[in-house]
Amino acid sequence: MEPLSPERISALFNREFESTDCTILAGGVDEPFFLPGKPSRIYFRSDFARSALHEVAHWCVAGSYRRQLADYGYWYSPDGRDSERQDAFFCVEAKPQAIESIFCAAAGLPFAPSADNVERSPNRAEIAHFLQRILHWQQRFALSGLPARAARFLGCLRSHGSDDAGHADSLPT
């Protein structure tokens, strides 16, 4: 299967959500962010397909209150996080990165977890623990289903990919 391009991912997202959720997906920025409005905009980094899927995953788990706030009202802890802050980051990121991994499979893209901490790379034990958290969420979604918006977007990705990409039995492990 040919991997979906960032432009195709944006087109699929916008076709599915612009009219129903008044939200569009756009690339070309240096730092991704969410901007509420009419329409709300999900910006992803440069023109990277993985960044698009990652940002959509965050939007899919954000509740209605959070979707009214710039960047969902979260503060960002920059590079150089110590072990404690990195663990807090991993706790928050496991669920959206599990959704991202499912999107990646459907879009024909490789998935690798992001520690998002260039100045201080997490050690192997921290990464292994993070991978376990992602796997936990993947398994939970395989059993109980994705959040509604994530399931809708997955359907869009699957309808424009190979017949078996992204199915629960082919989730990354």
Side-chain angles (χ1 to χ4, degrees):
M1 166 179 151
E2 183 76 22
L4 293 179
S5 69
E7 296 80 16
R8 187 69 181 137
I9 292 167
S10 293
L12 290 169
F13 181 92
N14 295 342
R15 187 178 71 205
E16 181 70 19
F17 295 105
E18 185 173 10
S19 64
T20 60
D21 293 71
C22 197
T23 303
I24 61 171
L25 177 65
V29 298
D30 291 334
E31 290 296 325
F33 64 97
F34 172 76
L35 185 63
K38 302 268 186 223
S40 295
R41 298 177 186 274
I42 303 168
Y43 290 103
F44 61 93
R45 192 170 188 295
S46 299
D47 286 314
F48 300 131
R50 282 276 318 280
S51 178
L53 297 177
H54 181 85
E55 296 310 316
V56 169
H58 276 287
W59 180 77
C60 288
V61 299
S64 60
Y65 173 74
R66 292 267 182 208
R67 291 192 316 274
Q68 297 173 38
L69 306 172
D71 264 350
Y72 313 109
Y74 291 115
W75 57 273
Y76 178 73
S77 182
D79 276 355
R81 291 184 290 270
D82 61 20
S83 291
E84 185 176 313
R85 284 187 176 229
Q86 187 65 39
D87 189 56
F89 172 85
F90 284 154
C91 285
V92 171
E93 280 289 310
K95 184 176 183 179
Q97 288 198 33
I99 293 171
E100 176 191 350
S101 73
I102 295 165
F103 290 166
C104 283
L109 296 164
F111 172 77
S114 173
D116 195 32
N117 196 359
V118 177
E119 290 180 18
R120 183 205 159 266
S121 295
N123 64 44
R124 286 183 182 182
E126 290 170 318
I127 293 294
H129 189 70
F130 183 43
L131 287 169
Q132 284 302 113
R133 287 176 172 156
I134 292 171
L135 179 60
H136 164 80
W137 279 106
Q138 289 171 337
Q139 292 168 339
R140 187 168 172 182
F141 293 138
L143 291 173
S144 61
L146 288 165
R149 288 186 312 278
R152 281 176 57 197
F153 188 55
L154 180 60
C156 293
L157 295 171
R158 283 182 175 164
S159 70
H160 291 84
S162 71
D163 291 335
D164 64 348
H167 291 278
D169 58 18
S170 65
L171 293 177
T173 56

